[in-house]
Amino acid sequence: MKSNTRHLYGLILALFVIGSGLFFYRHFILDVPLTDNENINSWMVEASLHFTTERNTPIKANFIIPYMSPHFSIIDEYFVGQNYGITTNLEGYNRLAMWSLRRSMGKPQSLYYRAIIRETENNDFHLPTPPRLKIHTLDETMQMAVDTIVNRARQSSADIQTFAQATLNELNKQDGHTKLLVGNAFNENSLVEAAILVLNQVKIYAMPIKGLYLTQQNKADFKLFLAVYNGKQWVYINPRTSSAGLPKDFFVWQYGKGPMFEITGGKKPIFTLTISPTPINALSIAKSHSLQSSPLLKFSLLQLPVHVQDTYKILLMLPIGAFVILLLRNFIGLKTFGTFMPVLIALAFRETHVIWGIILFITIVSFGLIARFYLEKLRLLLVPRLACILTVVVLLMIFISVISQNLGIESGLSVALFPMVILTMTIERMCISWDERGAQDALKSGVGSIIAAVLAFWAMSNAPLQYLIFAFPELLLVLLSIILVFGQYRGYRLAELFRFNALVGEK
Amino acid sequence: MFKAYQQLHQQGVLSINRRNSDYVLRYNRRKLYPLVDDKLKTKRLAMQASIAVPPLYELIETEHQIKKLEQIVAPYEDFVIKPARGAGGDGIVVITNRILGRYRQINGRLLTNQEISYHLSCLLSGAYSLGGHPDYAIIERRVIVDPIFANVSHEGVPDIRVITLLGYPAMAMVRLPTRLSSGKANLHQGAIGVGINLGTGKTLGGVFHNDAIDYHPDTLNSIVDIEIPYWSKILEIAASCYELTGLGYLGVDIVIDQKHGPLMLELNARPGLNIQIANREGILHRYRDIEARAARGKEPIESRVSFSQQHFSR
């Protein structure tokens, strides 16, 4: 007996730990949201490459597509290019979409890449450490200009990050030395290049970063940032203000130098970008997560076709309904017809809504009872009698549907969703208990069944709960452990306190 | 509310949850249930072990037999029809004699042959059996109740329920039918439950619904201190049902026949809790005593009975 209880509590603990562990892992690490209406900022970014070709020339085109960006994750992406073969390659810090075609048709061509991206809270992404730096020797005047800036920056800095910031400050002054480095056309590009040149001379690895401000959707052009490796990690510095850190809405497209796109066999290439915000609900994000990485998400319900998902949404709530019945029966002592009949009635309530559900249920059962009492007089045997009641129930349903249609009450039509066989058995049982235990007892159980059905419906149709169970089916393991714990309850039911009232105060 | 809970707990009142998990599930193996769920099997087992039961007259298993009912029951002046797998005393018809070609029920109602046939075919199709399974009818000798109960019952047959745990009688009561219960010995339906002192076999006070009562509501005769005849014999029968079935937790129903003494009627593997109300005492303390005693080793029936009589007398 003792080993039995140890076994049981071990099982309960194991189920609870596994269930809640999976739940916490998936919520906190894999970022599956807890509620369905979590508002998540997401955008659709579209990059397209347009060019013209000549007939029958092979075409190879590639452009950089986003791969890893701090603060963002790619939920979904599509590649569109008619007849083109598409591969994606990782090159350095970037990802390339490679498009290829053996023979072009000679028309203007368009290649599209579309990504849905969203903000993420957790950001455990890290750029790898940079390769070793090759120092170029500069000519004398350049070297002097660099040295001057290095000296000035050194005086006003303490470490690599502040040094880089000071360098950018110096370069932004646009005095004689900087002119030499930055060049005549002072713009972001030349500024960043000059900064990299200076930093490389003192053996600091730096590279430019191209990206987009997602909140400024009207102007979808690339802005530059400077990424500096400080020996341990990368720091991002805004070249214009020389402040450190990436803004939250900055979406990194390309790391390092290099062309944004390359094309062989095509002419007059134009590369365009468009950004638009897209509202996406949390569940579809969880879904797209599952497409990406973790095997724990891969085997999730979100993988199923949508109509199957809907079925499972209902199925997954059945244990909740059963749990409600457990509470009502083992703790309260409510009497119902059949153990889980109320759960099935509650399922029907989903479509009919509670008030109408109760009205229809009572109507059908009471008319069914009248029919049953009449059949009693005919002295039918059990099976024919049940068949008769079933037929009467179906006729009643048709009748109610037609009448309510004519009266314009749409809710009456949903009567067809009631489980007929269950209703038939309920009527038969109610009638027998009416005969044998009296009307009071039968009505008590009938009312108990309705109460249980309403409560089960209320629990099962709770939308946040529904979402939670659907997104985290492992919570059913937790529920299972709770059921096992509650199943250990040996104490009195609420109804028993009244039943044994005569014994209270004895002795 | 919480106070009531604590008081019940202190008195050792058994709850349904605890009965099911700690007693029914622990001591009664599912495999053995058919022995008690089928009254014919119980009857045959009892006869093999020479425990007295009402003798079996006939079995009715097919509709064909129902057609020949008149011939089948012709030799018997009075008899009882019971569903073999019935529950709660439903579907039982007691025929005392025949008048004008009709069967006279114990409550005076007359039944035509056609009515009895309909009742039987309902019975065969499972109207009274647990879960509506097809059933068959047992026709057996009518028990003529010992006159000791004549003053304190209305129609029906008062029976004695003894609860046994591991073969030790733990508690007992008499169930007296009333007009309200229409002859049925079911406390739910208004029969009176009267606790019995296991040591002496004398009745204690009774319970009518949930109220304490010392007299029969129909006859107004006292129900206290009635000495039940054959008391130790009754306890022995109850105790021996453990060996008979192998079920450790049983409710044994016994009636006292005017001529033949105590007869075992049926066994119940999920005995109800009302016996506690009838005895106005929680049963758990007794169960614990019995479990402690049984842990010491197996005892013969006589010493089990005497243990119970010593320890559970009040």
Side-chain angles (χ1 to χ4, degrees), chain A residues 34 49 66 92 103 145 158 226 244 269 360 388 401 407 465:
Chain A
L34 276 183
L49 185 64
R103 271 194 200 127
L226 186 66
L360 292 173
C388 282
S401 290
L407 292 180
L465 191 65

Side-chain angles (χ1 to χ4, degrees), chain A residues 27-98:
Chain A
H27 175 57
F28 288 110
I29 312 295
L30 300 182
D31 211 23
V32 180
L34 276 183
T35 50
D36 200 13
N37 44 20
E38 237 172 60
N39 215 348
I40 285 159
N41 289 327
S42 51
W43 290 269
M44 193 186 74
V45 180
E46 194 179 86
S48 55
L49 185 64
H50 307 276
F51 51 88
T52 54
T53 56
E54 277 163 23
R55 258 189 116 76
N56 293 336
T57 49
I59 296 168
K60 248 176 87 177
N62 65 53
F63 57 81
I64 289 172
I65 54 175
Y67 178 43
M68 302 180 292
S69 173
H71 311 308
F72 293 99
S73 65
I74 298 170
I75 295 165
D76 217 344
E77 50 187 11
Y78 315 90
F79 299 86
V80 182
Q82 217 181 5
N83 301 329
Y84 281 80
I86 298 154
T87 53
T88 57
N89 295 352
L90 286 180
E91 275 192 18
Y93 295 119
N94 294 310
R95 193 165 57 135
L96 282 176
M98 316 275 273

Side-chain angles (χ1 to χ4, degrees), chain A residues 359-387:
Chain A
I359 293 174
L360 292 173
F361 178 78
I362 292 176
T363 315
I364 293 180
V365 169
S366 34
F367 276 101
L369 272 177
I370 293 171
R372 168 66 174 76
F373 280 122
Y374 171 70
L375 290 172
E376 179 84 15
K377 287 198 175 153
L378 299 184
R379 313 211 155 156
L380 284 171
L381 296 181
L382 180 74
V383 179
R385 189 171 63 221
L386 282 179

Side-chain angles (χ1 to χ4, degrees), chain B residues 143-250:
Chain B
V143 173
I144 298 164
V145 187
D146 191 283
I148 186 108
F149 295 123
N151 289 334
V152 287
S153 62
H154 178 85
E155 296 173 357
V157 179
D159 67 353
I160 295 160
R161 156 69 63 95
V162 183
I163 300 235
T164 65
L165 184 67
L166 296 166
Y168 293 85
M171 208 176 249
M173 68 169 167
V174 195
R175 295 184 291 191
L176 304 172
T178 61
R179 185 186 300 276
L180 190 71
S181 75
S182 55
K184 280 178 186 166
N186 195 324
L187 296 200
H188 276 307
Q189 294 164 27
I192 324 176
V194 187
I196 305 174
N197 184 332
L198 275 190
T200 60
K202 283 188 179 174
T203 54
L204 307 162
V207 162
F208 181 55
H209 284 302
N210 276 334
D211 304 314
I213 195 171
D214 287 334
Y215 53 89
H216 192 276
D218 299 328
T219 66
L220 300 182
N221 291 321
S222 170
I223 51 171
V224 184
D225 264 346
I226 300 172
E227 191 166 351
I228 297 189
Y230 313 104
W231 183 238
S232 51
K233 177 78 186 148
I234 289 171
L235 289 182
E236 266 170 45
I237 291 176
S240 64
C241 288
Y242 176 39
E243 276 83 7
L244 195 68
T245 58
L247 291 161
Y249 185 54
L250 275 177

Side-chain angles (χ1 to χ4, degrees), chain A residues 1 329-331 335 375-383 385 432 435-437 441 487-494 496-507, chain B residues 1 4-5 7-9 11-18 20-22 26 63 90 114-115 118 121-122 125-128 132 184 186 189 210 273-274 276-277 280-281:
Chain A
M1 199 50 214
R329 286 180 68 116
N330 272 19
F331 288 82
K335 276 186 186 161
L375 290 172
E376 179 84 15
K377 287 198 175 153
L378 299 184
R379 313 211 155 156
L380 284 171
L381 296 181
L382 180 74
V383 179
R385 189 171 63 221
I432 286 182
D435 268 0
E436 291 171 357
R437 317 228 176 286
D441 219 79
Q488 299 306 300
Y489 180 71
R490 301 279 185 276
Y492 306 104
R493 299 171 182 179
L494 192 62
E496 279 181 313
L497 293 185
F498 295 104
R499 176 181 176 187
F500 292 125
N501 203 25
L503 292 173
V504 175
E506 286 272 324
K507 255 187 199 169
Chain B
M1 197 83 84
Y5 187 101
Q7 271 184 345
L8 288 180
H9 188 75
Q11 287 192 41
V13 175
L14 182 68
S15 67
I16 288 190
N17 289 337
R18 189 178 292 279
N20 289 343
S21 64
D22 284 1
R26 192 185 299 174
E63 291 285 330
D90 298 322
Q114 197 198 352
E115 279 168 321
Y118 172 67
S121 60
C122 279
S125 58
Y128 306 103
K184 280 178 186 166
N186 195 324
Q189 294 164 27
N210 276 334
L273 306 174
N274 280 327
Q276 300 178 105
I277 303 177
R280 293 177 212 171
E281 188 182 336

